[in-house]
Protein backbone atom coordinates (compact mmCIF):
# COMPACT_ATOMS: atom_id res chain seq x y z
CA UNK A 1 0.00 0.00 0.00
CA UNK A 2 1.38 3.43 -0.86
CA UNK A 3 0.27 6.98 -0.22
CA UNK A 4 -0.28 8.83 -3.49
CA UNK A 5 -1.83 12.06 -2.27
CA UNK A 6 -1.69 14.07 0.91
CA UNK A 7 -4.35 16.76 1.26
CA UNK A 8 -5.49 19.24 3.88
CA UNK A 9 -9.15 19.04 4.79
CA UNK A 10 -10.77 22.15 6.18
CA UNK A 11 -14.21 23.03 7.39
CA UNK A 12 -14.91 19.65 8.97
CA UNK A 13 -16.75 19.51 12.24
CA UNK A 14 -15.31 17.41 15.04
CA UNK A 15 -12.18 15.37 14.60
CA UNK A 16 -11.79 13.28 11.49
CA UNK A 17 -10.73 9.64 11.60
CA UNK A 18 -8.19 8.66 10.54
CA UNK A 19 -6.34 11.93 11.11
CA UNK A 20 -2.76 13.17 10.94
CA UNK A 21 -1.75 16.33 12.80
CA UNK A 22 1.61 17.96 11.98
CA UNK A 23 3.44 20.39 14.26
CA UNK A 24 6.86 21.65 15.33
CA UNK A 25 7.57 21.50 19.06
CA UNK A 26 11.27 22.28 19.40
CA UNK A 27 14.55 23.02 17.72
CA UNK A 28 18.03 24.29 18.36
CA UNK A 29 20.34 26.93 16.89
CA UNK A 30 24.00 26.31 16.07
CA UNK A 31 26.30 29.09 14.88
CA UNK A 32 27.22 28.36 11.25
CA UNK A 33 29.24 31.42 10.23
CA UNK A 34 29.36 35.19 10.77
CA UNK A 35 26.03 35.73 9.03
CA UNK A 36 23.84 32.89 10.18
CA UNK A 37 22.88 29.79 12.07
CA UNK A 38 21.97 26.23 11.30
CA UNK A 39 18.57 25.50 12.79
CA UNK A 40 17.74 21.91 13.68
CA UNK A 41 14.02 21.31 14.11
CA UNK A 42 11.92 18.34 15.13
CA UNK A 43 8.68 17.83 13.25
CA UNK A 44 6.05 15.69 14.92
CA UNK A 45 3.05 13.92 13.48
CA UNK A 46 0.24 12.57 15.61
CA UNK A 47 -1.68 9.83 13.82
CA UNK A 48 -5.13 8.90 15.10
CA UNK A 49 -7.21 5.94 13.98
CA UNK A 50 -10.61 4.90 15.27
CA UNK A 51 -12.21 1.50 14.96
CA UNK A 52 -14.82 0.42 17.48
CA UNK A 53 -14.59 -3.30 16.71
CA UNK A 54 -11.42 -4.27 18.56
CA UNK A 55 -7.72 -3.62 19.14
CA UNK A 56 -6.64 -5.94 16.31
CA UNK A 57 -8.75 -4.04 13.76
CA UNK A 58 -7.36 -0.71 15.00
CA UNK A 59 -3.79 -1.95 14.56
CA UNK A 60 -4.57 -3.33 11.10
CA UNK A 61 -5.88 0.12 10.22
CA UNK A 62 -3.13 2.31 11.62
CA UNK A 63 0.00 0.33 10.64
CA UNK A 64 -0.39 0.93 6.87
CA UNK A 65 -0.92 4.63 7.60
CA UNK A 66 2.29 4.75 9.66
CA UNK A 67 4.20 2.94 6.93
CA UNK A 68 2.78 5.23 4.23
CA UNK A 69 3.76 8.38 6.14
CA UNK A 70 7.24 7.01 6.75
CA UNK A 71 7.72 6.18 3.07
CA UNK A 72 6.21 9.46 1.86
CA UNK A 73 8.27 11.79 4.06
CA UNK A 74 11.65 10.08 4.57
CA UNK A 75 14.45 12.01 2.80
CA UNK A 76 12.01 14.55 1.29
CA UNK A 77 12.64 18.31 1.32
CA UNK A 78 9.01 19.20 0.44
CA UNK A 79 10.30 21.80 -2.04
CA UNK A 80 11.78 23.84 0.80
CA UNK A 81 15.35 24.91 1.46
CA UNK A 82 15.82 22.30 4.19
CA UNK A 83 17.89 19.18 4.65
CA UNK A 84 15.88 16.08 3.70
CA UNK A 85 13.60 14.85 6.48
CA UNK A 86 15.11 12.08 8.57
CA UNK A 87 12.90 9.77 10.64
CA UNK A 88 13.79 10.04 14.31
CA UNK A 89 11.30 8.07 16.44
CA UNK A 90 7.75 6.81 16.74
CA UNK A 91 5.61 5.37 19.46
CA UNK A 92 2.15 4.58 20.72
CA UNK A 93 0.81 7.50 22.81
CA UNK A 94 -2.77 6.27 23.22
CA UNK A 95 -4.32 7.34 26.53
CA UNK A 96 -6.61 5.05 28.53
CA UNK A 97 -9.63 7.23 27.63
CA UNK A 98 -8.79 7.02 23.92
CA UNK A 99 -8.39 3.24 24.09
CA UNK A 100 -11.80 2.89 25.74
CA UNK A 101 -13.26 5.06 22.94
CA UNK A 102 -11.79 2.72 20.28
CA UNK A 103 -9.02 5.14 19.25
CA UNK A 104 -5.36 4.30 18.68
CA UNK A 105 -2.84 7.20 18.60
CA UNK A 106 0.79 7.15 17.49
CA UNK A 107 3.36 9.93 17.35
CA UNK A 108 6.11 10.00 14.71
CA UNK A 109 9.07 12.39 14.72
CA UNK A 110 11.26 13.62 11.87
CA UNK A 111 14.23 15.97 12.02
CA UNK A 112 15.68 18.44 9.54
CA UNK A 113 18.01 21.43 9.40
CA UNK A 114 17.95 24.70 7.54
CA UNK A 115 20.18 27.74 7.33
CA UNK A 116 18.96 30.97 8.95
CA UNK A 117 20.78 33.99 7.56
CA UNK A 118 20.74 37.60 8.66
CA UNK A 119 18.14 39.52 6.65
CA UNK A 120 17.59 43.17 5.74
CA UNK A 121 15.67 45.42 8.15
CA UNK A 122 12.75 45.99 5.75
CA UNK A 123 12.28 42.22 5.46
CA UNK A 124 12.19 42.00 9.26
CA UNK A 125 9.41 44.60 9.35
CA UNK A 126 7.41 42.47 6.88
CA UNK A 127 7.68 39.53 9.27
CA UNK A 128 5.83 41.55 11.92
CA UNK A 129 2.72 41.74 9.76
CA UNK A 130 0.11 39.04 9.86
CA UNK A 131 -2.16 38.71 6.86
CA UNK A 132 -5.41 36.80 7.23
CA UNK A 133 -7.44 35.98 4.17
CA UNK A 134 -11.02 34.77 4.38
CA UNK A 135 -12.66 32.52 1.83
CA UNK A 136 -16.33 32.65 2.76
CA UNK A 137 -18.06 30.54 0.13
CA UNK A 138 -16.46 27.19 1.03
CA UNK A 139 -16.86 24.42 -0.24
CA UNK A 140 -17.35 25.84 -3.75
CA UNK A 141 -14.45 28.29 -3.38
CA UNK A 142 -13.30 30.37 -6.35
CA UNK A 143 -9.83 30.90 -4.87
CA UNK A 144 -10.33 34.66 -4.44
CA UNK A 145 -10.20 36.20 -0.96
CA UNK A 146 -13.57 37.57 0.09
CA UNK A 147 -12.09 39.57 2.95
CA UNK A 148 -8.65 40.27 4.37
CA UNK A 149 -7.16 41.62 7.60
CA UNK A 150 -3.62 42.96 8.01
CA UNK A 151 -2.25 43.23 11.52
CA UNK A 152 1.02 45.05 12.22
CA UNK A 153 2.76 44.11 15.46
Amino acid sequence: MSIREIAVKSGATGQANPAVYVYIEDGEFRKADLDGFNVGINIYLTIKFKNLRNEKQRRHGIYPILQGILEALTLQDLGLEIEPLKPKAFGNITTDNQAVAGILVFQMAFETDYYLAKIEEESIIDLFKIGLGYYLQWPSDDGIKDSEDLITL
Side-chain angles (χ1 to χ4, degrees):
M1 178 178 193
S2 65
I3 303 290
R4 301 205 187 281
E5 179 179 333
I6 298 173
V8 175
K9 183 177 180 182
S10 63
T13 58
Q15 293 185 341
N17 284 290
V20 178
Y21 305 96
V22 181
Y23 50 96
I24 296 171
E25 283 290 328
D26 50 40
E28 67 177 45
F29 299 95
R30 297 177 305 280
K31 186 72 172 160
D33 53 36
L34 293 175
D35 294 323
F37 293 85
N38 286 326
V39 182
I41 59 171
N42 294 308
I43 301 168
Y44 297 91
L45 292 89
T46 298
I47 302 97
K48 182 178 82 165
F49 186 83
K50 183 174 185 176
N51 185 314
L52 298 176
R53 288 187 193 162
N54 58 46
E55 178 78 10
K56 182 178 179 182
Q57 291 296 318
R58 284 189 286 281
R59 292 190 180 276
H60 278 290
I62 201 167
Y63 290 156
I65 296 170
L66 294 172
Q67 183 68 31
I69 290 170
L70 186 62
E71 291 176 8
L73 293 180
T74 297
L75 300 177
Q76 297 296 319
D77 65 12
L78 308 174
L80 302 171
E81 293 182 21
I82 62 172
E83 290 297 312
L85 296 171
K86 296 176 286 279
K88 186 174 178 180
F90 75 96
N92 185 337
I93 61 168
T94 307
T95 66
D96 291 341
N97 288 342
Q98 290 168 327
V100 169
I103 298 170
L104 190 57
V105 183
F106 273 75
Q107 183 180 63
M108 186 177 292
F110 288 85
E111 60 186 2
T112 187
D113 283 70
Y114 69 95
Y115 182 75
L116 178 64
K118 183 178 179 179
I119 59 176
E120 300 297 321
E121 187 174 331
E122 70 181 43
S123 296
I124 293 171
I125 292 169
D126 288 342
L127 291 173
F128 287 108
K129 294 179 183 175
I130 299 172
L132 303 171
Y134 303 98
Y135 301 86
L136 303 176
Q137 68 273 11
W138 186 88
S140 59
D141 189 42
D142 59 6
I144 300 170
K145 293 178 193 173
D146 297 301
S147 182
E148 183 176 32
D149 291 325
L150 183 62
I151 302 166
T152 302
L153 304 173

